[in-house]
Structures are given as structure tokens and as C-alpha cells.
């Protein structure tokens, strides 16, 4: 006989728990709202805590089954401590299926993007550094400007002497024939320009090869022997033929009073290869050009010239109205167009064009011992700027001729040099 009150068993559990022979009432199983333990204690919370007050309508007697409320009836008890369909111990919001802070996946996508960006930066830096040292190793720093004596004072800005020589170094017999260069020994200058890079615009000044100049005293580039001045006048390109780049720099400085900071020279072969490497150079030809010696044969209009045609274009001097002066204008025009079309994203960002172009130029490029790749790039982009209207191109001002040589206008030359030395905007005009 059970002496316990109705609904109670001797093990301290009610009749609806384990050990009860009676079935659990449907009302107990379907009750959705059960009391939530308070934080830090109570039912399974780890410490003693007073039970929360029962909601209205619930009997304080354990054996009694309270009447059930509908879901909407509990809106008034939003904060009464009763569960809204949660699992005990969840404590992670009202949505049973929403992941908690510890369940959310780590932001791997963001980390992956960072790793990709970092990898690209490292690869870019690695390629850039490798390219720099590769290009730097190919520069032929053969001109020693320290051998030039009695030099003018330096001025503002940077002055480059850019020389196009008729060197056939590295050219095969077939290439010499195709490019109509002949097989003459040694080197001569085919074009000479002063490029001034300054803060008031860049200026490119062509020096006609037939310019009348005085050969000053100089020190032999190979022998070191001092040759005194004799008052001898000759064509400008003869100075190069006599003792190479050092005497050419000395002669230009002596006859202009302008300090030359850097020297750059490229031969026939390298010039033609650069043009072919960039896929040709587009240029607008204003007049009919035909010359058997240079091989030029062009009608007026726009042309995309390959290496062979480009060399013929810049070398022609016969059949032009202005002779050597017209040739220097064509040379300036072409070099500026070449620089402009080379410094484009399609070339710079394409390794299949960039490296052949750089290789073709560096293979035959001769510079002074102090020329860095930065100086070379500065020169190159200044040439590009001149054709883009950011600078000025001109011939050396000419006043007349003497014995077939072109005589420079001394008054205009003095004004031009003063403006360049002071890095002022050039106002002098040339022919």
C-alpha cells in the first residue's frame, strides 16, 4: 500500500518520472514552456538559487497539473525567465538553429585574399628586382667623362648628349646588306642631340653633324696624352671620329659652354632591333622621300615603319630640301615617336615585348660610367614627353655656312645656354 500522497512515490519522484507505472499525461508532454534556470545557479546552474515565482494559474502543489496557455498568452511574460522553445544550456539567442559565436566559420575567405595579395606583391617585387639587375648588368658603361678636361660649371637640370652612331658592331654581313649600312670600319656619329631635362619643360636640341666647331685641347681617351688647342675648325662629327665620345663631349662643352651630365649612344643594329621588338613605329611623313643610299622610299601619309625602314628614314640626308637640318628634324620626330610608342602598357606590362625591347636596346647601348638605370629611364620618358607636347624640340640656331659647314648663331646660342643653365623656359627658336 502506498502511503505517499497521491502522485508521489517513495523515491522522491512524482508519478510522471522514472519508476512510475502510470503513463505521463499528454498535457505534461506537450507543455512547451518550462522554467529556465537562472545564470549561475538553480536548476543545473552550479549553485543554490531560489526558484522563480510561478506564473498565474499554476498551482503550488506539486501533484497538480497546471492549465496550459496558448503561445500568444505568453507575450506578457517576455522577460519572465521562461524558455521560448529553447534547449537547456543553449543560451545563444531565441533561434534554435542559429549558430553561436563559437560555431561560426573562421573568416578564411578574407585570409585567403590577403595571402593572394601578399603573394602577388612578393612576386612583383621579385620580378622587378631581378629585371633591374638583369638590365643593369647589360649596360655598357664604357665612356669615362672624368677624362674630359676644363669642363664648364654645372647648371640646373640634367643634360644628356644622345648620339646615334653608324656602328655595325654585332651585325652579320646579311644584316649590313639588308640595312644598307656598308662595311666601313670604326664608328662615326650619324646624329647628335642635347636633351635638357628640367622643371620648366624638357628641351631637345639637334646638333647637325656638319656643324662648324673648334677642336679644343683635350686628353686622349686611351693614351692620356694632352693635345693642345690648335684653333682647328672642322665638322662636329669629326671630333667623334678622332677620339671617340670623350672628345665629342669636350668639343660640345667647349663650343656651347653647357655642361654635359650624361652620355648615351646607340648603333644601327640596336636601333633597328628595338623598332622590330615593339612591332614597328607609326609616323606621319609629310613629303615624298626617296634615296638609294639610305634605302628610303616613302610617299606622304601615315606609315608603320619596321626596323629596316626606320633606319632608312632617319639616315636620309640627300633629296631633302633642308639637307642635314631636315634630317635632324626627322630624327627628332622619329625618336620621340619611338619613345612614345614604347612606353605604353601594351609593352611595359607584356614581358614578351618588354624583355626583347629592353634587350635589343641594351645590347648596343653605350653610356657613361655614372649612368644609372634611373637616369636612363628619366632620359627615355623625357623624350616621350617632348613628343607629347610637354617640351620643345628644335635645331641648334644657325646663322649661315662656312666652307660647307653650318655656323651656329652665337647670340641665340648664348641666350639658349643661359636659359638651359638656369632651367628657364626656352624662348629661343632654331631652324
Amino acid at each position: 500500500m502506498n502511503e505517499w500522497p497521491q502522485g508521489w512515490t517513495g523515491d522522491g519522484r512524482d508519478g510522471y518520472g522514472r519508476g512510475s507505472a502510470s503513463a505521463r499525461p499528454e498535457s505534461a508532454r506537450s507543455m512547451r514552456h518550462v522554467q529556465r534556470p537562472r545564470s549561475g545557479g538553480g536548476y543545473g546552474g552550479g549553485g543554490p538559487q531560489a526558484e522563480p515565482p510561478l506564473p498565474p494559474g499554476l498551482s503550488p502543489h506539486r501533484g497538480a497539473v497546471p492549465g496550459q496557455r496558448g503561445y500568444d498568452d505568453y507575450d506578457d511574460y517576455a522577460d519572465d525567465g521562461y524558455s521560448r522553445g529553447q534547449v537547456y544550456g543553449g543560451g545563444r539567442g531565441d533561434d534554435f538553429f542559429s549558430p553561436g559565436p563559437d560555431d561560426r566559420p573562421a573568416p578564411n575567405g578574407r585570409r585567403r585574399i590577403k595571402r593572394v595579395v601578399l603573394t602577388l606583391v612578393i612576386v612583383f617585387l621579385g620580378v622587378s628586382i631581378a629585371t633591374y639587375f638583369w638590365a643593369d648588368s647589360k649596360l655598357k658603361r664604357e665612356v669615362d667623362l672624368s677624362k674630359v678636361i676644363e669642363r664648364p660649371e654645372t647648371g640646373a637640370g640634367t643634360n644628356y648628349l644622345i648620339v646615334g652612331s653608324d656602328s655595325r658592331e654585332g651585325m652579320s654581313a646579311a644584316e649590313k646588306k639588308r640595312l644598307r649600312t656598308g662595311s666601313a670600319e670604326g664608328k662615326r656619329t650619324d646624329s647628335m642631340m642635347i636633351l635638357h631635362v628640367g622643371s620648366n619643360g624638357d628641351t631637345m636640341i639637334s646638333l647637325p653633324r656638319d656643324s662648324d666647331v673648334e677642336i679644343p685641347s683635350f686628353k686622349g681617351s686611351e693614351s692620356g696624352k694632352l693635345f693642345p688647342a690648335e684653333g682647328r675648325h672642322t665638322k662636329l662629327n669629326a671630333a667623334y671620329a678622332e677620339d671617340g665620345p670623350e672628345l665629342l663631349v669636350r668639343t660640345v662643352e667647349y663650343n656651347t659652354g653647357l655642361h654635359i651630365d650624361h652620355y648615351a649612344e646607340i648603333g644601327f643594329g640596336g636601333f633597328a632591333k628595338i623598332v622590330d621588338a615593339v612591332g614597328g613605329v607609326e609616323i606621319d611623313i609629310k613629303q615624298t622621300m626617296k634615296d638609294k643610299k639610305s634605302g628610303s622610299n616613302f610617299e606622304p601619309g601615315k606609315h608603320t615603319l619596321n626596323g629596316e625602314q626606320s633606319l632608312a628614314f632617319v639616315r636620309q640626308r640627300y633629296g631633302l630640301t633642308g639637307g642635314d637640318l631636315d634630317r635632324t628634324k626627322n630624327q627628332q620626330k622619329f625618336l620621340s615617336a619611338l619613345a612614345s610608342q614604347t612606353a605604353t602598357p601594351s609593352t611595359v606590362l607584356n614581358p614578351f615585348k618588354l624583355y626583347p625591347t629592353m634587350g635589343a636596346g641594351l645590347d648596343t647601348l653605350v653610356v657613361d660610367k655614372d649612368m644609372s638605370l634611373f637616369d636612363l629611364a628619366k632620359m627615355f620618358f623625357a623624350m616621350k614627353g617632348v613628343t607629347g607636347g610637354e617640351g620643345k624640340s628644335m635645331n641648334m640656331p644657325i646663322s649661315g655656312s662656312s666652307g660647307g659647314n653650318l655656323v651656329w648663331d652665337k647670340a641665340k646660342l648664348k641666350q639658349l645656354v643661359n636659359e638651359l643653365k638656369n632651367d628657364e623656359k626656352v624662348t629661343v627658336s632654331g631652324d
Side-chain angles (χ1 to χ4, degrees), residues 145 151 159-161 194 249 252-253 258-262:
L145 296 183
R151 309 192 67 185
N159 299 314
Y160 298 84
L161 181 60
I194 293 175
V249 171
V252 169
E253 289 187 340
L258 190 66
H259 182 92
I260 300 299
D261 299 290
H262 292 293

Side-chain angles (χ1 to χ4, degrees), residues 264-330:
E265 172 191 328
I266 191 166
F268 282 162
F271 180 82
K273 288 178 181 177
I274 290 175
V275 175
D276 287 334
V278 298
V281 174
E282 183 179 301
I283 195 165
D284 189 7
I285 297 177
K286 300 296 185 183
Q287 65 184 66
T288 300
M289 297 179 64
K290 291 186 179 181
D291 179 31
K292 290 184 178 180
K293 290 187 177 182
S294 66
S296 66
N297 185 10
F298 308 110
E299 296 296 330
K302 289 187 177 181
H303 298 262
T304 299
L305 308 183
N306 60 24
E308 179 181 349
Q309 294 169 325
S310 300
L311 196 55
F313 176 78
V314 299
R315 291 182 63 209
Q316 180 177 349
R317 61 186 303 209
Y318 300 104
L320 299 177
T321 304
D324 201 33
L325 292 177
D326 280 352
R327 184 173 81 148
T328 57
K329 292 177 182 178
N330 287 339

Side-chain angles (χ1 to χ4, degrees), residues 146-181:
S146 67
K147 295 180 179 179
V148 180
I149 63 174
E150 301 176 15
R151 309 192 67 185
E153 292 183 359
T154 58
T158 305
N159 299 314
Y160 298 84
L161 181 60
I162 304 172
V163 175
S165 75
D166 63 358
S167 171
R168 287 109 175 140
E169 184 179 351
M171 296 175 63
S172 65
E175 288 175 327
K176 292 176 183 178
K177 183 178 180 180
R178 179 174 62 87
L179 299 177
R180 298 173 181 264
T181 63

